Amino acid sequence: MMENLDLRAVPSTFIQSIDRALIIQKILRDSVPLHLQEISARTSLSPSTCHRILQMLVYRDFATQLDDRRYTVGPAVTAPLPVSDDLDALQESARPRMDRLAEEVGETCHLMVRTGSTVRVLVSSPGSLEPRVGSRENAVLPAATTSGGLALLAQMPDEWLIRVFYLQQSGRSSPVTEHFPTAADFQRTMERIRRDGFAQVSGLTERGVDAFGIALRGAEAVAPVALSVAAPTVRAATLSSSVTREAILRCAAEIVERAPQAQAQSQAGEPPGTQAGIRTVPQPR
């Protein structure tokens, strides 16, 4: 049955579609995964109406559809962003610098933070070239399917990566085991990213999209943050060019320099960026 609102003052601007979506969201939050018919029965809504609402909740990461077609709460709820003034300041400082990077390389740029096994995109700066990768701002994605997420995971100790991250993901419907069938496959990928200093993926986040990402070491006091540039696969060579990679490194260094930790170092007499850990990315041969 639909929730009884008689004991509450109904808003004068009551919007039925939003109310229905919120009720379904609460059901998903407080239940085991449910099939469409079960959600329909609990809400007294038709299956077609529930399906339309669920598709929007899935699209915005508030719900997830599992392999067996049941629905459960999504990463927008289960992986909340650690809110802080420093993180807000980092986003505001990074945005104009990312806009300049997107203009320089012509491709869409993303700033993301890792929250457990996922990453949340904090800032997206759209590229100018067509076709282009769309904005993913506020999207929550599996860390192991994004270049920035993989770069951040590679910063973690092997024991945590295998015993905690990989083994937990392998027991559920997860893209981790789809792309990395064994723990050894995943560990080899982590070792390669550490050696190279960057992660580059093709088609992991979205078919037809390539991405290059680096971890912003030096911003850890705020959050585990990464910068990535995404391009259609037809322009994947752009991500391997020395011009693009040098532009990414400059942008990363500027973001780290303005991070709250780096500013504190500067006030203490240390040169900005001394703890950034940003180094020259090996160029393609």
XYZ file of all heavy atoms in Angstrom, residues 101 104-107 212 229 235-251 283:
190
model
N 41.802 22.995 -19.290
C 42.333 21.744 -19.825
C 41.428 21.202 -20.928
O 41.912 20.774 -21.985
C 42.467 20.712 -18.700
C 42.889 19.303 -19.119
C 44.277 19.321 -19.758
C 42.862 18.352 -17.926
N 41.947 23.146 -23.990
C 43.261 22.913 -24.592
C 43.314 21.598 -25.367
O 43.842 21.541 -26.484
C 44.339 22.924 -23.512
C 45.755 22.801 -24.047
C 46.799 22.955 -22.962
O 46.426 23.280 -21.805
O 47.993 22.764 -23.262
N 42.771 20.521 -24.777
C 42.872 19.211 -25.426
C 41.637 18.864 -26.248
O 41.662 17.916 -27.037
C 43.148 18.103 -24.388
C 44.416 18.405 -23.615
C 41.970 17.909 -23.437
N 40.546 19.612 -26.059
C 39.332 19.380 -26.824
C 38.474 18.232 -26.338
O 37.452 17.912 -26.950
N 38.855 17.580 -25.232
C 38.130 16.417 -24.736
C 37.586 16.673 -23.333
O 38.034 17.579 -22.634
C 39.052 15.189 -24.716
C 39.720 14.868 -26.040
C 38.755 14.440 -27.132
O 37.549 14.293 -26.857
O 39.207 14.237 -28.281
N 42.095 8.385 -19.908
C 43.435 8.426 -19.314
C 43.290 9.105 -17.965
O 42.724 10.205 -17.865
C 44.365 9.217 -20.228
C 45.755 9.445 -19.683
C 46.798 8.617 -20.050
C 46.014 10.497 -18.814
C 48.083 8.826 -19.567
C 47.290 10.720 -18.323
C 48.328 9.882 -18.700
N 40.864 12.308 -18.446
C 40.397 12.881 -19.712
C 39.808 11.746 -20.526
O 40.446 10.686 -20.683
C 41.540 13.567 -20.478
C 41.045 14.049 -21.844
C 42.094 14.735 -19.681
N 39.132 8.803 -31.356
C 40.195 9.775 -31.114
C 41.087 9.334 -29.955
O 41.700 10.167 -29.281
C 39.609 11.156 -30.820
C 38.903 11.817 -32.001
C 38.752 13.324 -31.805
N 38.041 13.689 -30.607
C 36.715 13.821 -30.523
N 35.966 13.594 -31.584
N 36.139 14.166 -29.383
N 41.193 8.034 -29.726
C 41.984 7.524 -28.605
C 43.439 7.957 -28.684
O 44.102 8.127 -27.657
C 41.900 5.994 -28.554
N 43.950 8.163 -29.896
C 45.353 8.572 -30.048
C 45.628 9.897 -29.361
O 46.770 10.169 -28.935
C 45.720 8.657 -31.523
N 44.590 10.729 -29.214
C 44.762 12.016 -28.530
C 45.277 11.808 -27.109
O 46.107 12.575 -26.613
C 43.423 12.775 -28.483
O 42.967 13.013 -29.812
C 43.563 14.100 -27.752
N 44.787 10.761 -26.445
C 45.152 10.517 -25.056
C 46.599 10.063 -24.912
O 47.167 10.137 -23.828
C 44.217 9.464 -24.451
C 42.719 9.794 -24.489
C 41.911 8.652 -23.907
C 42.432 11.094 -23.737
N 47.192 9.571 -25.993
C 48.580 9.104 -25.945
C 49.577 10.156 -26.410
O 50.786 9.929 -26.348
C 48.732 7.846 -26.819
O 47.924 6.803 -26.329
N 49.086 11.294 -26.869
C 49.994 12.315 -27.387
C 50.711 13.033 -26.249
O 50.180 13.204 -25.152
C 49.232 13.330 -28.232
O 48.489 14.207 -27.418
N 51.932 13.454 -26.516
C 52.717 14.157 -25.498
C 52.072 15.486 -25.131
O 52.123 15.912 -23.973
C 54.144 14.382 -26.003
O 54.138 15.142 -27.203
N 51.431 16.130 -26.089
C 50.780 17.420 -25.814
C 49.663 17.245 -24.796
O 49.542 18.013 -23.828
C 50.225 18.030 -27.119
C 49.391 19.276 -26.814
C 51.365 18.381 -28.060
N 48.842 16.218 -25.000
C 47.729 15.976 -24.080
C 48.235 15.603 -22.692
O 47.762 16.132 -21.681
C 46.831 14.855 -24.615
O 46.270 15.261 -25.864
C 45.706 14.549 -23.645
N 49.203 14.737 -22.632
C 49.684 14.280 -21.328
C 50.386 15.391 -20.564
O 50.248 15.502 -19.343
C 50.598 13.067 -21.516
C 49.827 11.863 -22.038
C 50.627 10.596 -22.037
N 49.795 9.473 -22.454
C 50.210 8.220 -22.513
N 51.455 7.914 -22.175
N 49.397 7.264 -22.898
N 51.115 16.231 -21.254
C 51.746 17.371 -20.578
C 50.694 18.336 -20.048
O 50.832 18.896 -18.958
C 52.690 18.077 -21.543
C 53.962 17.281 -21.837
C 54.753 17.853 -22.998
O 54.337 18.916 -23.522
O 55.777 17.257 -23.384
N 49.606 18.522 -20.823
C 48.528 19.407 -20.371
C 47.843 18.835 -19.135
O 47.502 19.569 -18.194
C 47.516 19.606 -21.494
N 47.639 17.522 -19.115
C 47.020 16.882 -17.954
C 47.893 17.052 -16.719
O 47.410 17.378 -15.629
C 46.770 15.387 -18.241
C 45.711 15.226 -19.342
C 46.317 14.664 -16.970
C 45.565 13.802 -19.840
N 49.187 16.852 -16.877
C 50.100 16.984 -15.741
C 50.131 18.413 -15.208
O 50.183 18.632 -13.998
C 51.499 16.534 -16.134
C 51.688 15.024 -16.329
C 53.076 14.730 -16.868
C 51.465 14.290 -15.013
N 50.097 19.394 -16.119
C 50.075 20.796 -15.670
C 48.820 21.083 -14.875
O 48.863 21.719 -13.810
C 50.162 21.743 -16.875
C 51.540 21.870 -17.483
C 51.624 23.120 -18.360
N 50.603 23.118 -19.397
C 50.746 22.569 -20.604
N 51.880 21.942 -20.901
N 49.785 22.634 -21.488
N 47.691 20.611 -15.393
C 46.421 20.839 -14.703
C 46.430 20.156 -13.336
O 46.012 20.747 -12.332
C 45.265 20.317 -15.549
S 43.634 20.549 -14.815
N 56.025 8.829 -22.026
C 55.386 9.105 -23.300
C 55.394 7.864 -24.187
O 56.267 7.003 -24.061
C 56.118 10.240 -24.026
C 56.166 11.540 -23.237
C 54.788 12.026 -22.865
O 53.849 11.901 -23.653
N 54.650 12.589 -21.675
